[in-house]
Every structure is written in structure tokens, then in C-alpha cells.
Amino acid sequence: MNRRRCVKAAYAMRRHRPGCLLLACAVICATVAAANESNHKYRVGEEVRLWVNKVGPYNNPQETYNYYYLPFCQPSGRGEKPAHKWGGLGEVLQGNELIDSQLDLKFRTEVPKRKICTVKLDEGTAAVFRKAVKKHYWYELFIDDLPVWGFVGPPPEEAKDDKQIYIYAHKSFDINYNEHRIIEVNLTSEDFKPIVPGAEIEFTYSVRWAPTATPFARRFERYLDYKFFGHQIHWFSIFNSSMILIFLTGLVAMILMRTLRADYARYTARDEDDLEALERDVGEESGWKLVHGDVFRPPRRLELLSALLGTGVQLALLALSLILITIAGTLFTERGTIVTVFIVSYALTSFVAGYVSGGFYARNDGKNWIGTMLATATLFPMACFGIAAALNTIAIAYHSLAAVPFGSIVVVLLIWMFISFPLCLLGTVVGRNYNGVPDNPCRVKRIPSPIPTKQWYLRPPVIALTGGLLPFGSIFIETYFIFTSFWNYKVYYVYGFMLLVFLILIVVTSCVTIVGTYFLLNAENYHWQWTSFASAASTALYVFIYAVQYFFMKTNMTGFFQTCFYFGYTLMLCLGLAILCGAIGYLASAAFVRRIYRSIKCD
Ligand SMILES: *[C@@H]1O[C@H](CO)[C@@H](O)[C@H](O)[C@H]1NC(C)=O
Ligand SMILES: *[C@H]1O[C@H](CO)[C@@H](O)[C@H](O)[C@H]1NC(C)=O
């Protein structure tokens, strides 16, 4: 019973000093009595813990409550406070709280039908259970880190009166083991009883063990929906995106060839007499060459653009490294790990944000570099933090498990303050010094030229809005898969696809923005910086519109709580995507502009 005492101590410490919990678990539990759950090996007759996690309406994945929010049997038989399992920061942020059910469960020991407790229903508890069954509440349990799910009661038919609403009273566990490891757990709910006030419901459980040959390494495979993710449409989407990609790269190559033709002609004409003819040729051309004295004019709202560029490059790097880490580590099998990795990687990549934004700002002769650095470090985190704070307030008001405890908020803030922020500052200083020398091929004229009015489709807002269509077209099927796994309890595991789609997105975004910039410059409009940013960022606008459509057509979410969470999370995603794509688009356009103006004589 060493371990139980240790966990109890850890739990007591957690209540008083949350910070000590990690230490307590790591030090005490690891040395005094290594929890066998951590190495997943059990001896015959050794205790296996059944952890209860959360309950909630099946259609609303974020609306979850503590398991004991429903008047189930409380673990009180042993006269101790039930242990809580600490699964790391990510697990808490994802709204999990694992509590020891204290059910008697021993490795390879059969349990015939055994009573857990008897609940005598009164008006109140009957109403709670009834509401739970009507709203299709399901619950989640964990055995040896394997999740099992069950419904509170059989789904009631429409238009039945309250007497015909039932609750499952018996839980039957079927567990497969391979030598000393648990491989597979099934939960079957049986024995439904009517929910009527005054009734006494005896909750029972039983456990059956059976050997299996499935190796331990493959035990998570049954949670992966191969049929769904391996569907033909998934391959078709890759094919479709590749077609867009080939078309666009061809288009960009054509534009480059056209614009650089004069350049090559000049090289070949250098020693010959037709230089004069060439000069005439060049002089006749209108379009992008006429704005060479304005095209490198620093953009309006330079601070904001610098901050967005820095953040966007950081997010792109972050997304790439997250996908690679997840592919390498198959992190999707562990609760909360991806969230933890995300937070730590975000903090570490802040250096890049500072470097890019500081360098860009210095190259454009900005003077307020401290303000820019502050904007870079705070813009995206604060936006997300604001949305998260609003959602958290709602979750607290609903007493939901999705509410993040105060301690975890403080930890996230500390990570930002002591890792992310200093790295961003350092990045800015380094970027200003090593990446801050302007290298524009053309000088900027003192007086800005007027911009001629052109056809409606060459105006920046139109270019910005149409720019997002093709990138969205290349990712939207993958978006469907990601949304469906996030909102419909599917484990997303095809990160190879995601990597491919991400790379395609980057190339398509770059190409589309280059084409847009080319049209804009040809219309003698030199405000290409924000236009290129916006035309790439509008991809996120289409993703958001798609998300709205998805909400109404593909999900059955109901209620204020879930609606807020759906749109809050979607907003955060689209915000990040907009900044990421915008930065990529801008950088591609900047490289393009620099390249084509280097080929002409500007004076
Ligand atoms: C669990 O259920 C699945 C599907 O019904 C079945 O194939 C599997 O053998 C069951 N496993 C156990 C441990 O009973
Ligand atoms: C299970 O494993 C340890 C190590 O084997 C064993 O000594 C102990 O008996 C059981 N507990 C734990 C914790 O490991």
C-alpha cells in the first residue's frame, strides 16, 4: 500500500501547493514505489486502476463535466480521498481530470457481477440522470491509459414520457492481455433500469480477462479509423492539390520568363548594336517598370506588418516542427502531449519571430523597434489569451471540466514571460544587427507617384479576396478531416498527409501571391506589401466560412456553451492561419519583387 499512500500525499500536496505536485509525483512515486501504470506491466493479481474522467453530451465534445457531476457511486469505500492522476499541462488544458474510481480490479482476476453501491433516487438525482440520458451523455474511463467510453443510458425514443427513460446499471469490462500487459479493453453497458424517483438502483460491474496475441505496440491501432482516413477522397485531395500546384508554378514561371526577358536580352545584346532598339523596347513598356521608384517605399503601418511577419514565420516553423515531432513520436496516442509540445515549441520559436520582425523593421528604416518587438511578442498570444479567457469564463460559469484551473494559467503565463518574451527580445536584437541592412535594388523616389485608377479587378481588395481561393481549394478536404477528428471523437493520425498538405499550402500560397503582386504592379499600384499579405491571409477567411458551414451541416452541437467553444477555437485557428499564410505570401512576393527589379535599370 506504499503507492496508495504516496499518491494520497501527492494529492494532499496538490491541494495546498499545486507547484509541488509534479515534483511529488516524480520523486516520491518514482523512487519509493514506481507506479506500474507507467511501465504498463502488471503481475497476476496486481491492482489495475480504473480512472474516471468526464461526462458530457455526446454531440458537444467540449461541454464536459466531472464524472461525479452525475450522482454515480462515489469512491468512498476505503475512507480515503480518491487519487487524482496528474498527466501534465497539456492534459489539464484539454480539460481532463482523472480520478481513481477505487473499483476493485486486479490483473487477470475475474470479477463476477459485483455491487458497487446502491443509489436511492430522489426527485433531484432522478432529474439529473434523466436530463443526462435525454441529452445522450457519455462518459470516459481509462484503464492503463486506454480510454473506454459508455453511454449513461440507452437513447430514449422521441415523445416517450419520463417513465420510459432508462439508465444502465451494469458495466461489463472485457479485457485482453498479452503476458503481463493490457492490450484491449471493451466496456459493455447492460441491465437498464427506469429512472423514477424513489427507486433504488444497484450499480454493478464485472470483469472478464482473456489472452490475446496482439503485441503491446499495436494496441492503439483499434482507435484509429482506417476506413475514414484512408478513404479514396483523401488521396483524391492530394491529387487535386498537386494539380493546382503544377498549374500555379507554371504560371509563375511564365511570368518570371516574361518579366526577365529584357534582362536576358540585355546580356546577349551587350556587345551588339541593337542596344538602342532594346532601350526603345524597354522605354515603351508600361506597367511594373514604371513604379520602380516607389515599389520599395516602406509600407504603411510598418510596426504592425513587422510584428505579423515575425509571428507568421514563427507559426509556420512551429506548425512544421509540430507535424514532424508528431510523426516521429506518434504523440497522438498520449493524452495532452501535443498541447504541451505546442506550448513549449511556441515559446522556443519566439526567437525566430523576433529575428524576422526586427530585421524587417530595421531594413525599412523603422525607429520604434521596442514597440515593434513588444507587438511581435504579444500580438498573437494576447489574441488567443483573450479568446481563451472568454471561453474559460463561460466554462467556469457552467462548472465544466473544460475550465482551466488557475494554476495552469499561471504556468502558461510564466512560460511566456520567462522563455518566449526574452527569446523574442534576443531575436529582435540579433535580427537588427545581422539582418537589418537594406538591400533594395532600386532607390525610393522622394515624392510618391500618384496611382492611376484601373479596372475593378485590379484593385487591392479584390486581389486580396481572390488570393485565398486557390490555397483554400488545395487544403479544404484536409480541413474536413481535421475538423471531423477534432469535433467527432476521431483520433487524427495521418500526419504524413498533413505534412504534404502543409507544404502544398505554402507553395500554392506563395505562387498565388506572386501572381497577384504581378497584376497589381502592372496596374502601376505599388502598395503591394499589405496586398500580398492580405491576399494570402484571406485563405483563413474561407476556412472560417467553411467552418460556419460545417457547424450547421455536419455537427449536431447545441447550446450556448458548445457554440462559443466551437467558434472560439475556430477563430483562434483562423487567426493563426491568417498570420501564417500572410507572412508566407508576403515573403514570396518580396523575393519576387526584388528579383524582377534587379533585372532593370532603375534611376
Ligand atoms: C471488443 O469488441 C470488439 C468489437 O466488437 C471485438 O472485436 C473485440 O474482440 C472485443 N475485445 C474484447 C477484449 O472483448
Ligand atoms: C510493479 O513493478 C515493480 C517493479 O517491478 C515491482 O517491484 C512491483 O512489484 C510492482 N510495482 C511496481 C511498481 O513496479
Side-chain angles (χ1 to χ4, degrees), residues 3 33-37 39 41-43 46:
R3 176 157 129 234
N36 279 353
E37 208 164 50
N39 58 18
K41 283 185 184 167
Y42 300 88
R43 286 164 305 162
E46 188 168 351

Side-chain angles (χ1 to χ4, degrees), residues 75-91:
S76 56
R78 297 177 195 174
E80 296 171 8
K81 269 240 179 290
H84 284 230
K85 183 167 174 159
W86 170 254
L89 184 61
E91 178 161 310

